[in-house]
Amino acid sequence: MRDLTFTSEDAYKKRLTYFKVIYFLTLAVSLLYIIKFNFQYKVPDYNSALIPIWVVLLIVPQVCLRLLKNYLISACIMGTMSSLILAYLLYLSGGVEAPGIFWLTAIPLVCGILVGVPGAIGGYLAVLVILGFFWYAQAQGFGPNVIAEYGDYNREKLFNVVVFLLFSAFNTHYYIRGEKSLMKNLEEKNLDVENLLRVLIHDIANTLSSMTYNLVKAKEDREENLSGAQELDKIERAVDDIVNLLAQVRHLKSVKDGKAAMPLKPLNLTMVLNEVYENTVATAQQKGIKMQLDISRDRMPINGEKTILSSVVLQNLINNAIKFSHPGERIDLSAYPTETEVIIEIRDYGIGIPKEILANIFNLNSQTTRPGTQGEKGTGYGMPLVREYLQMMDGTIEIFSSEETSSSAPSGTLVVLKMPLAKTVL
């Protein structure tokens, strides 16, 4: 069985704490009632079923957790055995007439804490099945009633209420305390990330301002050297792109906070793609990779943010293609319009993407980074950002990849971007 996916180590530890608390409370409460049946009511006849269920509850969840390292299996077994021993105790106590019939409400509560929404739904279904059986048993007139024969109903009802309140209080206390601790940790981490981002943007912006000043002076001093001036022009444009990118990062923060909207403007996609090609072809050539550009001659106006589309989306995707291609291979960049949208395709013939990485490639919480064909490093944050920015521009992204060449497709990766055509004619 596939295990639960936790958003962080803290989330897993929190859920594991709930597991341990519920485990010990369930063992203690069920053992208490087994002791009552044997010593207060003096009815040991049902030990042949109660004790084996209790022993399974004692041993199996912990064994699964330690040996299988699978939280979901352990939680499901504990929830199932806890529900079973509770249902059997209530059945022996009179079914629907049992003084502790309200204990059934603990089943969806406990299962929900252990497994989440699926657990709570399963708990409600279990309660319906148990109640259906009890009503059927009552209608058919079978089933024991130990309380009616050997106990005092009102006293037992009061006892059950007290024990149930203590059980609920402990669970609620640990749940609230765990949620509070998790929220505090998340807030601290978010604050750290925001502070780092602020410092990063501030320091880079200052450094780039100094670079721009020095580039302007160098350009003035080398006006007679045309080749040098052209190279300086390229550097100056690159610096401008980084400055614009930092401005867009600042703006994205405002967009996420709900204080602003992404400024979409009419763009000539052909010009954007040509600029991206010029900015990335040198990197590809340094690695011995050939790049081919195939752009439709049809008009392809779109609405977008130029710096984000070129620097964050397209260059990121092309750099990934370069990163995971071998020297001597080729990368194809193409674009063509349909009736309602423009389709951009980036195809490489490199090493491809493993299935387990491809399945989580847009998930920030999954480990998707890996070295390139020449040991190039990455962060794993690029693809989630690409999709997020594309969605802000009403675009979509699909990735198809194969690690091996087959009769139907070569090895490598095909990235397909789709963006709606703009109504405005450029």
Side-chain angles (χ1 to χ4, degrees):
M1 182 185 292
R2 187 177 180 180
D3 204 354
L4 288 180
T5 301
F6 297 95
T7 56
S8 66
E9 184 66 19
D10 290 337
Y12 173 73
K13 290 180 179 178
K14 180 196 72 170
R15 194 66 67 90
L16 195 59
T17 299
Y18 298 157
F19 178 94
K20 292 177 180 178
V21 170
I22 293 173
Y23 172 77
F24 287 113
L25 284 176
T26 304
L27 283 175
V29 171
S30 56
L31 181 61
L32 173 64
Y33 281 97
I34 292 174
I35 292 173
K36 281 175 67 68
F37 268 63
N38 281 271
F39 294 98
Q40 181 177 346
Y41 306 141
K42 301 185 185 306
V43 184
D45 302 347
Y46 306 106
N47 286 344
S48 58
L50 284 172
I51 292 178
I53 296 174
W54 189 86
V55 171
V56 172
L57 176 63
L58 172 68
I59 297 174
V60 177
Q62 288 292 338
V63 170
C64 289
L65 193 61
R66 294 178 183 275
L67 297 183
L68 300 181
K69 306 295 183 182
N70 191 304
Y71 172 86
L72 182 58
I73 292 178
S74 305
C76 288
I77 291 175
M78 186 172 74
T80 301
M81 301 312 299
S82 300
S83 302
L84 184 60
I85 197 170
L86 172 60
Y88 192 56
L89 286 168
L90 291 174
Y91 170 72
L92 298 177
S93 303
V96 291
E97 296 179 356
I101 189 67
F102 50 80
W103 273 99
L104 290 176
T105 60
I107 295 178
L109 171 66
V110 167
C111 293
I113 291 176
L114 289 174
V115 186
V117 175
I121 294 174
Y124 286 120
L125 293 175
V127 170
L128 291 176
V129 171
I130 293 170
L131 285 175
F133 174 77
F134 286 170
W135 282 321
Y136 176 79
Q138 185 183 45
Q140 297 298 318
F142 67 86
N145 192 333
V146 173
I147 303 301
E149 294 179 24
Y150 305 100
D152 184 297
Y153 182 87
N154 291 327
R155 185 177 63 186
E156 291 304 322
K157 187 173 184 179
L158 178 61
F159 177 83
N160 275 277
V161 168
V162 172
V163 176
F164 181 79
L165 288 175
L166 290 173
F167 178 87
S168 301
F170 271 100
N171 277 301
T172 304
H173 169 72
Y174 277 99
Y175 184 83
I176 293 175
R177 193 173 73 171
E179 289 295 315
K180 185 177 180 180
S181 175
L182 181 63
M183 290 302 299
K184 183 179 179 181
N185 290 337
L186 288 175
E187 289 173 359
E188 289 175 353
K189 289 180 179 180
N190 287 337
L191 183 60
D192 290 340
V193 171
E194 288 186 2
N195 288 337
L196 178 62
L197 185 61
R198 291 190 184 101
V199 171
L200 182 67
I201 291 175
H202 179 267
D203 290 350
I204 290 181
N206 288 340
T207 303
L208 289 174
S209 296
S210 176
M211 288 176 60
T212 303
Y213 173 77
N214 291 329
L215 282 169
V216 171
K217 289 203 66 176
K219 185 178 179 181
E220 292 175 350
D221 293 339
R222 298 186 61 181
E223 285 182 350
E224 295 181 0
N225 187 337
L226 182 59
S227 176
Q230 289 176 342
E231 293 302 317
L232 287 174
D233 282 339
K234 293 181 180 178
I235 297 174
E236 188 174 4
R237 286 199 301 270
V239 171
D240 287 339
D241 286 342
I242 297 176
V243 172
N244 291 332
L245 182 58
L246 288 173
Q248 291 305 321
V249 172
R250 292 192 189 100
H251 189 79
L252 178 62
K253 182 68 171 62
S254 298
V255 172
K256 287 181 172 291
D257 293 340
K259 298 178 181 178
M262 174 69 78
L264 302 182
K265 299 179 181 179
L267 298 177
N268 185 329
L269 182 60
T270 301
M271 292 180 60
V272 173
L273 290 173
N274 276 301
E275 289 181 11
V276 169
Y277 175 81
E278 291 178 4
N279 292 335
T280 55
V281 68
T283 305
Q285 289 174 349
Q286 288 176 1
K287 197 173 178 180
I289 297 170
K290 182 179 180 181
M291 281 189 62
Q292 288 189 352
L293 181 63
D294 181 15
I295 303 177
S296 171
R297 294 183 179 182
D298 296 326
R299 299 183 65 86
M300 295 186 290
I302 61 170
N303 288 321
E305 205 297 313
K306 182 177 180 295
T307 304
I308 295 296
L309 180 60
S310 60
S311 299
V312 178
V313 176
L314 295 173
Q315 288 191 36
N316 197 324
L317 294 172
I318 294 174
N319 286 334
N320 278 346
I322 296 171
K323 177 181 175 182
F324 298 110
S325 295
H326 291 288
E329 293 178 338
R330 187 179 84 246
I331 295 173
D332 298 329
L333 173 61
S334 60
Y336 56 91
T338 64
E339 292 184 1
T340 59
E341 61 188 6
V342 60
I343 297 177
I344 306 168
E345 295 183 352
I346 301 170
R347 152 68 76 179
D348 69 65
Y349 303 88
I351 60 176
I353 305 173
K355 292 181 179 179
E356 60 273 14
I357 292 181
L358 185 60
N360 298 290
I361 199 163
F362 298 116
N363 188 351
L364 277 171
N365 300 312
S366 298
Q367 182 69 23
T368 58
T369 182
R370 58 191 177 120
T373 55
Q374 293 185 346
E376 302 98 324
K377 295 181 179 180
T379 63
Y381 296 122
M383 297 309 296
L385 285 175
V386 165
R387 186 174 70 167
E388 184 173 7
Y389 276 117
L390 274 173
Q391 289 174 344
M392 289 182 180
M393 293 183 281
D394 298 323
T396 62
I397 178 171
E398 291 181 286
I399 301 179
F400 308 91
S401 189
S402 175
E403 294 182 271
E404 298 179 357
T405 300
S406 65
S407 57
S408 59
S411 66
T413 302
L414 171 63
V415 181
V416 180
L417 310 181
K418 296 180 181 180
M419 299 186 69
L421 286 168
K423 296 180 180 180
T424 304
V425 179
L426 298 176

